Structures are given as structure tokens and as C-alpha cells.
Amino acid sequence: MRVALALLLLLGGCGDSPWGAVSDRVGELIRPPAAEDPPPAADRALSVTLGRRRAQVALLQELGERRLWRSPGGIVIATEGVRVVATSGLSQVLAATRFEEPDPLARPATLLEGAATAHRLVDLMTSRRDPAGMRFGVQVTCRLSADPTPEPGVLAVEEHCRAGRLGRFTNRFWVEEGGGWLRSEQWIGPGLPMLALEPVGPEPAEGGE
């Protein structure tokens, strides 16, 4: 599977791509929304933290488990389930992710039976598309393990990875055995802090606790 969100945004995509319609609206994606644009529904947004930078990204497009999110400042994130698979609008861009086998995060409960190894290839580039900053086919090899948390049905997953000469990093995910997720902290490229994501839940009903 290949996700090339950043390249679609920068270069435009063909109509056969699931993001083809999005790539035709590049100007809209990188321009902050108009003042009259309504805020996103609480259950259709993510809270994003990158170092000292915080924002809320709204759901822009959805295709199965694959979702595209955008912040008012022009940050765009593509996710596949809980995993970030592409970014745009940052100094370092995760241009594409290609899995060599099914992602163990798709079935986190199986990790309770034992650790799993996963491999994927990523393409990285700078926001200026400088050829010197482009890295294609970076091999990322990871070992994933899960432990129950005090909250029933919630698992804490750690993913210890090595990305070739770029070094090592550890991703962390708090996921529900049934498939939902509560929070993640993920590597999205060299020189950037870990990206923390958390779904913004629906507002409590009036009169509720």
C-alpha cells in the first residue's frame, strides 16, 4: 500500500488516485479557511501537538480507514487507522509510506500473544523539495509489543524502530482492543519532535456529568 499525500499536494495527482479530488484543490488545502468557516464537529477532529506547536486538524476526506486532516494553518496529515502515513505543511515532509506486510496495529489485540516485527518503506523530503533533502525508500524495521492498561479494553503499544542511517525511535499508541484509539506519539521524520495525536471527543450533553 502506498500513500503519497505530500506529492499529491505539491505536484497534483491523477484521477485514479483516491486523493485525486483533493489534489485538484491544492490552493484550498494550503490556504487558511475563511473566517466564516464553521468549526469542525467535535468527533471529526484531532488535537495535534508537535513540540511547542499545537493545533486542531479537521477531517477533510475519508475513505475507509484512510483519512485526510487539515489545520487552519495549512498542516495536512493522512492517517491509516491510528498510524500517520503522510504529512504536508511542515519543514520535513513524510511523503509516502509503503507497508511490506499487514500492519500489526490493524489488529492490536494479537500483540498480547507476543511481539511482532513489521517492515515498511518511507519517502521523506523537505518542504522546499530540495533534491538534496529527498530520501526515497528508507527502510523502517520495527518491533511492536502491547500491554494492558488499567482502563479495561485499552492497550498500550510500543513500537521500537530503526530507520536506516536516520537512527532509532519509539512510537507509542494507546488503542482499544475493538479497533478504536485514544492517543498516539509518532515519528514523522528526522529533525522533528514526535507528533502527538488525540481524537477530540464529542461535547458532553447538557445536564450530563
Side-chain angles (χ1 to χ4, degrees):
M1 172 173 35
R2 180 183 179 91
V3 179
L5 168 65
L7 296 181
L8 286 174
L9 295 177
L10 296 171
L11 305 177
C14 65
D16 294 336
S17 166
W19 303 116
V22 177
S23 65
D24 292 336
R25 293 156 41 206
V26 175
E28 179 182 340
L29 289 176
I30 64 175
R31 183 176 63 246
E36 64 272 15
D37 284 355
D43 60 346
R44 310 296 279 177
L46 300 176
S47 174
V48 177
T49 303
L50 187 68
R52 297 182 179 179
R53 194 173 179 180
R54 295 184 179 180
Q56 188 173 107
V57 293
L59 182 63
L60 185 67
Q61 189 165 341
E62 182 175 13
L63 184 62
E65 287 294 308
R66 192 174 302 180
R67 295 183 175 185
L68 189 66
W69 312 82
R70 184 195 66 182
S71 78
I75 297 173
V76 181
I77 298 170
T79 58
E80 183 84 21
V82 63
R83 189 180 295 282
V84 174
V85 291
T87 63
S88 183
L90 301 169
S91 59
Q92 179 73 48
V93 173
L94 176 59
T97 299
R98 302 183 294 282
F99 295 95
E100 298 184 353
E101 65 269 314
D103 188 353
L105 279 176
R107 300 177 61 192
T110 62
L111 295 172
L112 292 174
E113 303 170 5
T117 301
H119 304 85
R120 59 186 179 271
L121 299 175
V122 299
D123 295 341
L124 302 162
M125 62 193 305
T126 64
S127 59
R128 296 183 178 181
R129 290 180 285 168
D130 179 4
M134 295 181 178
R135 301 178 179 90
F136 298 106
V138 176
Q139 177 77 54
V140 179
T141 301
C142 304
R143 180 178 174 83
L144 296 90
S145 60
D147 291 300
T149 69
E151 186 172 350
V154 176
L155 305 178
V157 178
E158 286 199 346
E159 181 182 45
H160 301 279
C161 302
R162 181 176 180 84
R165 296 181 179 180
L166 299 181
R168 299 178 182 272
F169 59 88
T170 299
N171 292 331
R172 294 180 172 86
F173 307 89
W174 289 264
V175 299
E176 298 173 339
E177 291 186 37
W181 62 280
L182 304 177
R183 179 178 169 81
S184 71
E185 297 172 359
Q186 303 183 50
W187 180 87
I188 55 170
L192 291 176
M194 300 294 283
L195 178 68
L197 298 176
E198 187 172 356
V200 177
E203 297 292 337
E206 293 186 8
E209 297 182 358

